[in-house]
Amino acid sequence: MTLKTPSRRDPEKFPAFQLFILAIVRLAEPIALTSIFPYAWALIKRYQIGNEEDASFYAGLLISSFALAEALMGMYWGGLSDRIGRKPVLLLGCVGTMFSMIMVGFAYNIWIALAGRVIGGLLNGNIAVIQTMVGELVTKPEHEPKAYSIMPFVWSVGTIIGPMIGGLFADPHESYPHLFPTGSLFQRFPYLLPNLICAALLLVSITMGYFLLEETHPDMQPRISLPDHTFLSENTPLIETSDAIKRPAVDMRDENYGTMRDRDIKEPKDIEKQHTNIFSRRIMAVVVSLSIFTYHSMTYDHLMPIFFEDDRVPIHALFGTVNPLYSPGGLGLSLQAVGMILAVQGIIALVVQAVIFPPLAERIGVHRLFIIVTVLHPIAYMIVPGLLYVPDQLLYPAVYFCLGVRNFLSIILYPLLLILIKEATPSPSVLGKVNGLAASAGAACRMIAPPVAGYLYAMGKRVDCTALAWWGSALVAVFGAVQCFSVKRYPARKTEEEERFEA
C-alpha cells in the first residue's frame, strides 16, 4: 500500500517545507538511538554480565545489536521502498524503533534489552529511505549542499537531546528520590523513563509524517505535483492516451534535459534496471569510504562515555612513570556530567553543520573537501588519551577542544559522502537500492565497531593502557585516509545552453 499525498510543490524551488517535515520525522530517531549511550555501561554493570572489567565489551554488544539487525535488512527496506514507496517504509521504521524503546525500558535482564534492540534494527530501514527521499526532493544541483546538510544537522540536534535524556532520566530513583520513591515503577525499571520519553517523541514524528509528509518516489507522483509550464503545447493531449508517442515524456525546455539527471525517463524502467549495476567500482569506492568512516566514528561515540565515566588515576601517578604507554582508566566523571558533555557536543556539531559546512563546501568543492577532512581524521582519535594528563581545572576546556576537532571533521565528512553517493548512482530508479546498500554497509560497521572498541578498551584497561582503543580507531582512520583517493568525482555533463555559450 502506498501512502499518497497530493502535492502542489514546485520542483524548481527549494523544498523547504517537505525537508522540514522529513527532519521532524528524522529527529526522533537519533534521540532514541543515542539516549542509551550515557547509561549502556551502567546498565551492563547493573545486570552483572561477566566481569566488571569487561563491561565496556558487553555494552558494545548491546549498542551494536541494533546495527547488526539493521545491516541484515538495509537493502531489503531500500528495495521495498523502490516498489511500494518511501513513506510507508519510513513510518514503519519509526514504529519499529518506538516498540524497541518500550521493550528496552521494561527489560529486567540483558536478554530482553538485547532482543528489543534487535527488533528495532530489523524493522528500521530509515537511513537509506531518508537519504533517497532527500535526493528525490532536490532536483537542482545547486540545492544539494544545503539539502544534504539538513539531515546531519538534524542528527546533531538529536545527539544533543538524546544523551541529555539518557543522562538526566536514567535511574531516576537514584537521581531524584523525592520524585521517584522506593517501590515505584521507575525503581523496578531504572531505564524505563528515558525510553518512554523517546517513544513519545517518536509517536509525534509518526503522526506528523503520516499527515504531512509527501511520497517522493518518482513513479508515484500525482500529476498535480508537476510545474504548470510542463507539457504545455498545442500537441499536448488533454487526456492521457495509451499511445506513447502522443504522450510527452519529457520537457525539452528543462535545463537538465539530456543530462544524467534526466536518465530515468530516457528509457523504460524495466530495460534500464536490467543493465544498471549498483556494484560498480565508482559506487563501491564511496560505499567503502562511508563504511570506514562509520566504523571509526562509531568507536568514538561508544568509547567516549566509557572513557569519561571510568575511574581516574591521579595525575602525579601518571607523571611518575617512565612508561610512555602508561594510560590507565578514564576521567572519572559522573553519569549526569557525561550526559551534559554529550549534549554540548551536539551543539558544537550544530554550529559546524549550520555555519561552517555550507560555505566551506561551496568554496573548496565537495570532492576536495572530502579528501581534506578524511586525511585529517586520525588526529581526532590521537589527541583524546592526552586528556588523562590535563589538570582538573582545565579538564572541561580540553574535553570540548577534543570534541570540537572531532565534530569539525566528522560533521563535514558525512554530508559530503551522501552527495558523492547520489552522484555515483547511475540512475534515479535504483537510488533507493544504492542507498540501501550504503546503509547496510554502514550498519554492518556500526555493528562491529562497539564490541571491537570495547574489547580493546577492556584489554587496555588490564595493562593500564586504555589509549589502546583510541589508537585502534586512529589506525582505521588512517586506512580511510589512504582509501579516500580511490573515490573519483566525474564532471557532470554540460547542458546544451552551456555548450552553446562556450562555442
Side-chain angles (χ1 to χ4, degrees), residues 176-473:
Y176 317 102
H178 57 292
L179 296 177
F180 304 94
T182 302
S184 65
L185 178 66
F186 296 103
Q187 183 196 20
R188 183 181 178 188
F189 301 103
Y191 306 108
L192 174 60
L193 184 58
N195 284 282
L196 283 181
I197 295 173
C198 293
L201 294 174
L202 278 163
L203 182 60
V204 173
S205 294
I206 293 169
T207 304
M208 293 187 66
Y210 182 85
F211 288 105
L212 299 176
L213 192 63
E214 297 177 4
E215 176 58 63
T216 63
H217 195 295
D219 293 343
M220 301 174 187
Q221 293 300 304
R223 278 282 180 180
I224 197 169
S225 67
L226 298 176
D228 295 336
H229 63 271
T230 306
F231 306 152
L232 293 182
S233 73
E234 64 275 9
N235 296 321
T236 302
L238 296 177
I239 301 177
E240 282 193 353
T241 67
S242 59
D243 188 349
I245 298 177
K246 294 180 181 178
R247 186 179 65 213
V250 296
D251 180 6
M252 289 183 290
R253 293 167 294 174
D254 190 283
E255 63 180 4
N256 290 325
Y257 174 70
T259 66
M260 290 179 60
R261 303 180 184 280
D262 199 54
R263 284 176 297 174
D264 60 318
I265 54 177
K266 290 175 66 177
E267 57 185 4
K269 299 290 183 184
D270 54 344
I271 297 177
E272 183 183 2
K273 289 182 180 179
Q274 288 177 5
H275 61 71
T276 298
N277 179 22
I278 68 170
F279 297 99
S280 66
R281 181 179 298 179
R282 183 183 180 188
I283 292 176
M284 293 308 298
V286 186
V287 170
V288 170
S289 187
L290 174 66
S291 301
I292 294 174
F293 164 70
T294 302
Y295 175 88
H296 62 70
S297 180
M298 189 65 186
T299 62
Y300 197 107
D301 291 333
H302 176 61
L303 290 172
M304 182 169 51
I306 296 174
F307 180 67
F308 287 176
E309 295 173 33
D310 202 0
D311 295 335
R312 188 174 194 186
V313 173
I315 294 181
H316 62 81
L318 296 174
F319 286 106
T321 180
V322 295
N323 183 3
L325 302 180
Y326 185 64
S327 53
L331 303 184
L333 302 178
S334 67
L335 180 64
Q336 287 72 25
V338 171
M340 293 304 298
I341 288 175
L342 294 179
V344 173
Q345 177 190 225
I347 296 176
I348 296 172
L350 281 180
V351 173
V352 174
Q353 191 69 66
V355 179
I356 299 177
F357 170 71
L360 207 59
E362 183 177 355
R363 183 177 182 86
I364 299 179
V366 171
H367 187 261
R368 188 180 302 172
L369 184 59
F370 160 73
I371 297 294
I372 293 173
V373 295
T374 305
V375 170
L376 294 177
H377 236 102
I379 298 174
Y381 303 95
M382 295 299 295
I383 62 177
V384 176
L387 293 173
L388 293 172
Y389 296 88
V390 176
D392 291 341
Q393 60 270 25
L394 298 177
L395 182 59
Y396 281 94
V399 166
Y400 293 134
F401 172 78
C402 291
L403 295 179
V405 172
R406 187 263 175 144
N407 280 278
F408 176 83
L409 297 172
S410 64
I411 296 301
I412 287 177
L413 180 55
Y414 185 62
L416 296 175
L417 286 165
L418 299 185
I419 294 174
L420 291 172
I421 287 175
K422 181 184 177 182
E423 290 184 345
T425 303
S427 167
S429 64
V430 294
L431 185 58
K433 189 171 290 186
V434 171
N435 280 322
L437 172 64
S440 293
C445 292
R446 287 197 303 275
M447 168 197 71
I448 300 171
V452 171
Y455 175 77
L456 290 176
Y457 191 89
M459 187 167 63
K461 189 175 176 63
R462 291 192 181 96
V463 296
D464 290 332
C465 184
T466 55
L468 177 65
W470 297 103
W471 295 338
S473 299

Side-chain angles (χ1 to χ4, degrees), residues 37-83:
F37 286 177
Y39 64 82
W41 194 45
L43 181 147
I44 294 296
K45 291 196 294 183
R46 184 184 186 91
Y47 290 142
Q48 298 180 345
I49 305 299
N51 298 325
E52 185 172 337
E53 291 181 347
D54 297 326
S56 59
F57 171 71
Y58 291 107
L61 290 179
L62 179 63
I63 292 175
S64 67
S65 59
F66 184 97
L68 168 62
E70 190 179 26
L72 295 176
M73 298 295 290
M75 284 197 68
Y76 170 78
W77 292 120
L80 184 65
S81 73
D82 285 335
R83 298 193 299 272

